[in-house]
């Protein structure tokens, strides 16, 4: 029987420390979703709107820049408050890493992670193959389609919006898209939606390309090649350059914009190879 991924980390650090960042991510995702649902379900309007556009405490506007750009190319200029919300969101995700949205905010991540967990438990092998660049083609087509149709095209099939509506109004057509994403990741393609198809992740990776907050492998000399970090990482291709230093002068910092800063590599490493830090001033290699 094969050893469970992260078993060594649990043995070395304890269960809580070996799941610390995962737990914090779930708290973040569930808390953000709960804030949006409090208004329509309980009449407590701390946050009005959804992840596309929201107004917190009637003071802080937040606007998804991806949706705002689609609106712009479709011929609809966002209002001043909406533009301010775009700037706030752009600044935030530039600082912390654009794909933090995917791992710490997006509720669909919980759906795809559940599919991945179940896929592993059921021992489902084999997977369809698509280039990770496919999501960038879909991103481009969403802008082109919005320009040609005059509507924000992505919102017609956006699983995040569908999930939000489904939780408020109950089971219905909105759940079809969410379930399609779940079964696609479960039976068709491992990490298929977030890692290969979702244009939102592609867009936010562009925002966070130069973000200062990065995961580093400063302890890479202690790596035991257990491969657990590769198994849990939603974008495993980003790990090798920093971990193995393949090529002259390659440092221990994960610089790839596709990294979601989810912290799972930090969690599952029994040798504490990984940690969060700055792209410019990483800790010295152990």
């Amino acid at each position: 029987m094969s050893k469970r991924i992260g078993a060594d980390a649990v043995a070395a650090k304890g269960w809580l420390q070996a799941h610390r960042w995962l737990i914090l991510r779930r708290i973040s995702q569930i808390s953000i979703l709960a804030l949006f649902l409090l208004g329509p379900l309980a009449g407590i309007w701390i946050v009005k709107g959804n992840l596309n556009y929201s107004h917190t405490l009637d003071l802080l506007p937040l606007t998804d820049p991806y949706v705002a750009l689609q609106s712009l190319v479709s011929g609809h200029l966002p209002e001043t408050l909406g533009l301010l919300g775009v700037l706030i969101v752009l600044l935030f995700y530039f600082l912390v890493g654009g794909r933090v949205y995917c791992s710490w905010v997006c509720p669909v991540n919980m759906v795809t992670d559940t599919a991945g967990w179940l896929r592993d438990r059921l021992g489902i092998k084999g997977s369809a193959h698509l280039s990770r660049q496919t999501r960038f083609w879909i991103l481009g087509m969403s802008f082109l389609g919005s320009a040609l149709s005059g509507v924000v095209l992505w919102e017609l099939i956006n699983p995040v919006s569908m999930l939000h509506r489904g939780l408020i109004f109950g089971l219905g057509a909105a759940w079809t898209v969410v379930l399609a994403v779940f079964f696609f990741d479960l039976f068709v393609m491992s990490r298929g939606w977030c890692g290969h198809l979702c244009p939102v992740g592609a867009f936010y990776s562009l925002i966070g390309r130069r973000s200062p907050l990065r995961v580093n492998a400063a302890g890479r000399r202690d790596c035991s090649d257990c491969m657990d970090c590769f198994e849990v990482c939603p974008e495993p291709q980003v790990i090798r350059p920093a971990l193995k230093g393949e090529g002259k002068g390659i440092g221990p910092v994960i610089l790839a914009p596709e990294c979601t800063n989810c912290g799972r590599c930090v969690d599952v490493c029994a040798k504490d190879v990984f940690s969060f830090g700055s792209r410019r001033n990483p800790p010295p290699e152990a």
Side-chain angles (χ1 to χ4, degrees):
M1 182 177 179
S2 62
K3 176 173 64 68
R4 288 287 187 194
I5 299 168
D8 290 342
V10 172
K13 302 187 290 188
W15 189 91
L16 192 61
Q17 281 295 105
H19 294 83
R20 177 180 54 172
W21 292 107
L22 176 61
I23 293 170
L24 289 174
R25 281 174 50 220
R26 293 296 179 250
I27 291 173
S28 172
Q29 291 165 324
I30 293 172
S31 297
I32 291 170
L33 185 60
L35 285 173
F36 283 112
L37 296 178
L38 273 176
L41 295 183
I44 304 173
W45 294 96
I46 298 174
V47 179
K48 299 177 181 177
N50 53 40
L51 284 171
N52 293 334
Y53 176 77
S54 65
H55 210 194
T56 302
L57 297 173
D58 291 323
L59 179 65
L60 178 66
L62 296 173
T63 307
D64 183 346
Y66 175 44
V67 172
L69 278 176
Q70 287 181 86
S71 179
L72 186 62
V73 299
S74 68
H76 306 286
L77 180 67
E79 296 181 0
T80 302
L81 198 60
L83 292 174
L84 177 60
V86 168
L87 292 176
I88 293 172
V89 171
L90 285 175
L91 177 61
F92 176 77
Y93 284 116
F94 167 76
L95 292 174
V96 302
R99 294 218 51 202
V100 163
Y101 171 87
C102 303
S103 58
W104 290 81
V105 177
C106 180
V108 174
N109 174 255
M110 293 186 285
V111 175
T112 57
D113 275 3
T114 301
W117 176 85
L118 187 58
R119 181 184 178 92
D120 179 62
R121 292 299 183 274
L122 295 177
I124 298 175
K125 305 296 183 181
S127 178
H129 295 284
L130 282 174
S131 168
R132 290 184 181 273
Q133 298 304 309
T134 303
R135 52 190 165 188
F136 290 98
W137 285 101
I138 296 175
L139 175 66
M141 287 189 292
S142 70
F143 286 121
L144 179 60
S146 295
L148 294 176
S149 65
V151 299
V152 179
L153 198 61
W154 175 243
E155 277 309 291
L156 299 178
I157 58 169
N158 184 357
V160 175
S161 299
M162 298 292 186
L163 178 60
H164 194 171
R165 287 196 289 270
L167 290 172
I168 294 173
F169 299 112
L171 293 173
W175 284 102
T176 304
V177 174
V178 179
L179 288 174
V181 169
F182 175 80
F183 287 121
F184 180 78
D185 270 32
L186 178 59
F187 294 117
V188 180
M189 189 174 189
S190 176
R191 304 187 183 105
W193 177 255
C194 295
H196 297 78
L197 296 179
C198 181
V200 179
F203 179 83
Y204 277 104
S205 72
L206 298 176
I207 292 177
R209 183 168 291 274
R210 305 298 299 176
S211 297
L213 179 63
R214 294 290 179 180
V215 174
N216 66 75
R220 61 187 180 182
R221 292 176 185 172
D222 296 325
C223 177
S224 62
D225 290 323
C226 70
M227 302 299 289
D228 281 1
C229 57
F230 287 92
E231 290 293 333
V232 299
C233 181
E235 301 280 352
Q237 78 281 0
V238 310
I239 294 178
R240 185 172 295 278
L243 181 61
K244 299 302 181 181
E246 296 176 341
K248 185 178 179 180
I250 294 181
V253 180
I254 297 177
L255 296 175
E258 290 80 19
C259 176
T260 68
N261 280 352
C262 67
R264 283 299 283 148
C265 58
V266 183
D267 281 343
V268 303
C269 183
K271 303 294 185 179
D272 289 328
V273 169
F274 300 95
S275 61
F276 283 102
S278 167
R279 69 180 297 141
R280 298 192 181 278
N281 298 296
E285 292 190 50

